[in-house]
Amino acid sequence: MLKTPAARELEPVTIDPMLRDRMLGLRGRGSRPRIILAESHDERVLRAAGALAEVGVQPILIGDGNEVRNRARQLGITDADPGWSVDDPARLAAGRTGERIRSSAERKRPELAEQWLTDPVFLAAAAVKEGLADAAVAGADRPTADVIRAGLSIVGLAPDSSLLSSSFLMRLRDGRYLGFGDCAVIPVPDDEQLSAIAIATARTFAAITDQHPSVAMLSFSTAGSAQHSDIDRVRLAIEHIRSRCPELEVDGELQFDAAIVESVAKSKCPESAVAGHANVLVFPNLAAGNIGYKIAERLGGAAAFGPLLQGLAAPINDLSRGASVSDIVNVGLITCLQALTPAADAQQRTTSTAHTFTTK
C-alpha cells in the first residue's frame, strides 16, 4: 500500500552531514557522478532519487519512462525537473549493456542469459561496466546474493583484488566515524583473506571519509594475552598486511576496548600506535562482525551504512530490504564517493599521514 503524502511528510529524509558536505565539495569542483538505481518501481527509490539530485548526483532509474513518471506523480513527486533520468531496460538490453551481459553469461551461466537481460540489477551492473554510469545501488527488494552475483558476473574483481568482501560505515552518536569489516560476505576468512579485508576496509574508509585509517585487528586477546589458533590467524594476517601495505597503520591482536578506549590501551598495550584510537575495526569472522555492527546500531545508537562491497572493478553497493529513503540516499552518496575517489587515491590515504553470500 502506498503511503499518503501526509504520512510521507512524517518521514523526512536525513542525509549524513559528512557525506553531504563531501559531495557538495566535489560538486563545487565540477564533479557530478551518475548513479544507477535499479529498482524504480519502489517508492523509496523514487524519493531517494530526488534527494540525491539535490546534493549534486545524477540519478538514473531503470524502467519504462512513462510508468516511472506516472508513479512519481501518484506519489506526489511532481517537480517539473526532478533531477533524474530514466533508461528503458529494453533499450539497455539491445545496446552495449546487453552485449556485456550476453558475453558474461556465455562464460559463466549461458542458460541464464535471457533472464539476466531483463533483470534490472544485472542491467545496472552492465551499465556501470560500459561507462554509462559511474556507480550503482540495488537490493531494496532483492537478497544480497543477487547484487553480489551481478557485480561479480558483470563487473568482476578489480585487477589488484582477489576477494570480494564488505564493510559498514558506522557513525557513532558522538559524531565519530568507524569502518567495520567484514560484516556481510566472508563467513570464516583465512589469514590471507583477513589481510585483504583489512586493506580493503581501510581504503573504503579513507575514500568515504577522507580520514587517515588506523586499523585494529580484533580478537579476544590483546598483544599475546591468550593463545589460540584463531589468534594465530589474526597474527598471520597482520604479517601479510605489513608485507603488502607496509605504511598502513595497523596493529593487533587487540580486544575491542583496547582498540578504541585510550585508558584501556595505555594499560594493556602502551606501545601500540593504533590502540585507543582505531577508526577501522576488522573482525575475525562474519559472526563477530555481523553481531558487532548490529549491537552498535541497536543498543549503541550508531547509524550503520552498508553493506558496502569491496574488491569490485567499479562501485556497486547493496541495500537492506528494510532500507529507508534516508538509507538509500546515504548509501548512494557513499557509492558515488567511491566512484570519485580512484583506487590509487584511496590507497595513498592509507599509506600517508593525511564466494559465499549472506542474506539481509
Side-chain angles (χ1 to χ4, degrees):
M1 178 182 297
L2 296 178
K3 296 179 181 178
T4 65
R8 290 197 300 276
E9 290 172 0
L10 299 177
E11 301 174 5
V13 176
T14 302
I15 302 178
D16 180 85
M18 180 273 292
L19 299 177
R20 180 197 291 271
D21 290 347
R22 290 266 288 138
M23 184 55 61
L24 290 175
L26 291 167
R27 180 182 182 182
R29 297 200 294 269
S31 298
R32 195 175 183 203
R34 302 160 298 166
I35 186 168
I36 291 267
L37 303 175
E39 293 134 328
S40 65
H41 58 276
D42 193 300
E43 172 187 355
R44 297 167 296 168
V45 173
L46 283 175
R47 293 183 61 205
L52 284 166
E54 291 179 3
V55 290
V57 175
Q58 291 181 278
I60 303 168
L61 298 164
I62 294 181
D64 179 271
N66 290 330
E67 291 181 3
V68 172
R69 292 182 176 88
N70 287 338
R71 189 177 303 113
R73 283 192 290 270
Q74 292 171 5
L75 296 171
I77 305 172
T78 57
D79 299 278
D81 179 13
W84 41 259
S85 59
V86 183
D87 256 344
D88 190 281
R91 188 188 72 82
L92 288 172
R96 291 186 303 168
T97 54
E99 293 174 6
R100 168 69 60 179
I101 290 172
R102 287 188 185 279
S103 175
S104 298
E106 287 173 2
R107 293 194 309 270
K108 298 174 182 181
R109 298 291 298 276
E111 75 279 9
L112 295 180
E114 295 306 314
Q115 178 183 329
W116 288 2
L117 281 167
T118 60
D119 189 320
V121 176
F122 280 80
L123 288 168
V128 173
K129 182 68 175 179
E130 291 301 322
L132 303 180
D134 303 298
V137 168
D141 66 354
R142 301 283 289 274
T144 295
D146 287 358
V147 180
I148 292 177
R149 190 171 291 111
L152 285 174
S153 300
I154 305 299
V155 172
L157 293 174
D160 63 347
S161 175
S162 61
L163 181 74
L164 183 135
S165 64
S166 76
S167 67
F168 274 79
L169 179 69
M170 309 295 293
R171 187 188 70 233
L172 306 186
R173 288 197 293 182
D174 63 8
R176 285 182 296 159
Y177 292 86
L178 300 176
F180 280 20
D182 176 355
C183 303
V185 179
I186 308 296
V188 185
D190 60 26
D191 51 286
E192 290 278 3
Q193 292 173 323
L194 197 58
S195 68
I197 290 167
I199 293 171
T201 303
R203 291 177 180 173
T204 298
F205 181 80
I208 297 167
T209 67
D210 202 29
Q211 296 179 24
H212 176 64
S214 183
V215 182
M217 306 295 288
L218 299 181
S219 182
F220 57 86
S221 167
T222 294
S225 64
Q227 301 298 322
H228 190 274
S229 58
D230 285 347
I231 302 171
D232 293 339
R233 181 165 48 89
V234 174
R235 293 170 183 162
L236 284 171
I238 294 171
E239 292 181 12
H240 299 319
I241 295 166
R242 288 174 175 162
S243 174
R244 291 179 55 196
C245 198
E247 295 184 37
L248 177 62
E249 191 174 88
V250 59
D251 204 1
E253 75 282 4
L254 293 172
Q255 291 166 290
F256 182 83
D257 55 355
I260 66 168
V261 181
E262 187 173 1
S263 60
V264 176
K266 288 180 178 179
S267 172
K268 291 187 174 183
C269 45
E271 303 301 319
S272 174
V274 170
H277 67 270
N279 53 20
V280 173
L281 305 178
V282 179
F283 293 84
N285 56 50
L286 183 59
N290 193 269
I291 293 167
Y293 100 78
K294 289 182 177 177
I295 289 175
E297 181 184 29
R298 302 298 180 179
L299 296 183
F305 304 123
L308 310 174
L309 300 182
Q310 305 173 153
L312 292 173
I316 296 175
N317 278 324
D318 182 37
L319 296 167
S320 166
R321 281 176 282 180
S324 66
V325 176
S326 298
D327 294 332
I328 298 171
V329 173
N330 287 313
V331 171
L333 289 176
I334 285 170
T335 313
C336 289
L337 289 171
Q338 290 176 296
L340 292 173
T341 307
D345 290 353
Q347 182 175 357
Q348 178 65 21
R349 287 189 180 89
T350 69
T351 59
S352 68
T353 54
H355 289 152
T356 301
F357 307 131
T358 61
T359 56
K360 304 181 187 83

